[in-house]
Amino acid sequence: MLRCECDRHSDKSWMHTPEALAKHYIPYNAKFLGNTEVEAPKGTEVVKDAVRKLKFQRHIKKSEGQKIPKVELQISIYGVKILDPKTKDVQYNCQLHRISFCADDKTDKRIFTFICKDSESNKHLCYVFDSEKCAEEITLTIGQAFDLAYKKFLESGGKDVETRKQIGTLQKRIQELESENSELKKQLLDLEDQLMIAHVPPAGSGSMKPLSTDVFDMVPFSPVTPLVPLPPSNGCPPPPPATLPPDYRKDLFGAEPFDPFTCGSADFPPDIQSKLDEMQEGFKMGLTLEGAVFSLDPLDSRC
């Protein structure tokens, strides 16, 4: 059970309505000196030692130029949440059934504390806060929240506490999954950036499609497509295709190129013609020795 110094008020004249703490929460702003492990779950001397320790640590940090961080406290019958006042990110979620002691400092009216058992390490941690005007009021509000939660526990026969434990476990798991999701999104963005960098072509290089080749890495041969006359653009018929002159195969002297194998036998004297025949026969024998027979006779059917 929570041991609270506010229990000295026997009249139980609480500051807030039960609905405000049961259905909503009471917010407060304070400075967070930090938390530290304590040996016992309750006790005035225990929290005094914790306050002295954290004040000394804060004094050192202040001399180094660090300011005391501000936090927002949200108090309800389910516990005390410690949030960042700007981003509303939950820094600590202290469930009420884990809080064993709370008190305000009688020697320093700005300081208030509570001891909570950590859900992971099962260690008792003392949380210390600094509030210039609301230290005692915050302590009373935590005491009222515990009083309402205890009454609800008695009415439900203990089932409500088990339900809150399950809800707390699920909330913790949700926070873990959200953190994992954020990390995975970050890794995905990094991978997308790496892929974009890998696919960017070098400066000045064009995206030319390579020609398809055959098994010998040769560009396949395709006959030249015939020229198709373009349609007239200004109403005039296209010019006729260019034709080669009839004497394009003649040399500078107007003679046909010499081809000894296409000349008829009557074009040469008999002695010259016999020499040409011998040359032709020798050429045929040379091709036969290479393993393939090619006929130079246009009447030979083997061609």
Side-chain angles (χ1 to χ4, degrees):
M1 177 180 288
L2 173 71
R3 174 71 169 89
C4 183
E5 289 297 310
C6 60
D7 289 344
R8 65 182 182 275
H9 299 275
S10 58
D11 55 354
K12 299 293 183 181
S13 57
W14 301 117
M15 303 180 61
H16 308 285
T17 62
E19 291 78 11
L21 288 167
K23 298 181 179 181
H24 304 283
Y25 59 84
I26 307 299
Y28 290 99
N29 292 322
K31 294 181 180 180
F32 185 36
L33 274 68
N35 58 18
T36 184
E37 182 182 355
V38 292
E39 297 179 356
K42 58 185 178 179
T44 304
E45 295 299 323
V46 174
V47 296
K48 283 184 178 180
D49 292 338
V51 170
R52 281 194 295 266
K53 179 180 178 180
L54 290 175
K55 277 186 174 181
F56 178 74
Q57 293 178 359
R58 184 55 56 183
H59 180 72
I60 295 176
K61 292 181 179 180
K62 187 176 181 180
S63 63
E64 296 174 351
Q66 298 184 20
K67 295 182 179 180
I68 302 177
K70 295 180 180 180
V71 295
E72 177 182 332
L73 300 177
Q74 294 180 357
I75 303 173
S76 67
I77 62 172
Y78 301 104
V80 180
K81 289 184 178 181
I82 305 172
L83 301 88
D84 185 290
K86 294 182 179 179
T87 63
K88 301 300 180 181
D89 292 336
V90 179
Q91 299 177 356
Y92 299 96
N93 186 11
C94 302
Q95 298 175 2
L96 201 66
H97 67 277
R98 292 184 174 275
I99 298 177
S100 57
F101 187 83
C102 69
D104 53 334
D105 194 341
K106 303 310 173 189
T107 59
D108 190 346
K109 297 294 184 180
R110 301 177 306 172
I111 302 298
F112 68 95
T113 65
F114 64 81
I115 299 175
C116 180
K117 188 176 183 180
D118 186 67
S119 58
E120 295 183 357
S121 63
N122 284 329
K123 297 178 180 180
H124 291 92
L125 301 178
C126 182
Y127 294 78
V128 181
F129 303 88
D130 184 336
S131 178
E132 188 174 354
K133 298 179 180 180
C134 301
E136 185 177 3
E137 181 180 337
I138 294 172
T139 305
L140 290 172
T141 302
I142 295 175
Q144 183 182 0
F146 180 81
D147 185 70
L148 292 173
Y150 184 66
K151 289 180 180 179
K152 193 172 183 180
F153 166 76
L154 295 177
E155 293 173 359
S156 63
K159 296 180 180 180
D160 188 61
V161 173
E162 190 65 29
T163 302
R164 288 204 302 271
K165 288 182 180 180
Q166 295 177 0
I167 292 175
T169 303
L170 292 175
Q171 289 177 345
K172 180 181 177 181
R173 181 56 181 162
I174 290 173
Q175 292 179 357
E176 292 176 353
L177 292 174
E178 288 178 349
S179 300
E180 293 177 2
N181 189 28
S182 300
E183 184 64 25
L184 290 174
K185 285 182 177 180
K186 183 179 178 181
Q187 294 178 5
L188 181 60
L189 291 175
D190 293 340
L191 289 175
E192 290 178 351
D193 293 339
Q194 294 177 6
L195 289 175
M196 290 179 64
I197 293 174
H199 285 80
V200 172
S205 63
S207 58
M208 297 181 63
K209 184 179 179 181
L211 295 175
S212 59
T213 57
D214 56 13
V215 294
F216 301 104
D217 200 24
M218 301 288 288
V219 178
F221 171 76
S222 61
V224 179
T225 55
L227 295 176
V228 179
L230 297 175
S233 58
N234 55 357
C236 299
T243 57
L244 296 174
D247 56 349
Y248 74 99
R249 288 184 53 83
K250 295 183 179 181
D251 57 15
L252 296 176
F253 303 99
E256 294 285 342
F258 174 72
D259 187 355
F261 299 109
T262 58
C263 295
S265 58
D267 293 339
F268 299 98
D271 55 345
I272 296 177
Q273 184 64 42
S274 62
K275 293 291 184 181
L276 291 175
D277 294 339
E278 291 178 2
M279 292 172 60
Q280 186 175 3
E281 289 297 330
F283 183 69
K284 287 182 179 180
M285 292 179 64
L287 294 178
T288 305
L289 293 175
E290 290 294 332
V293 179
F294 297 91
S295 177
L296 298 176
D297 190 353
L299 300 178
D300 196 335
S301 61
R302 292 178 298 176
C303 295

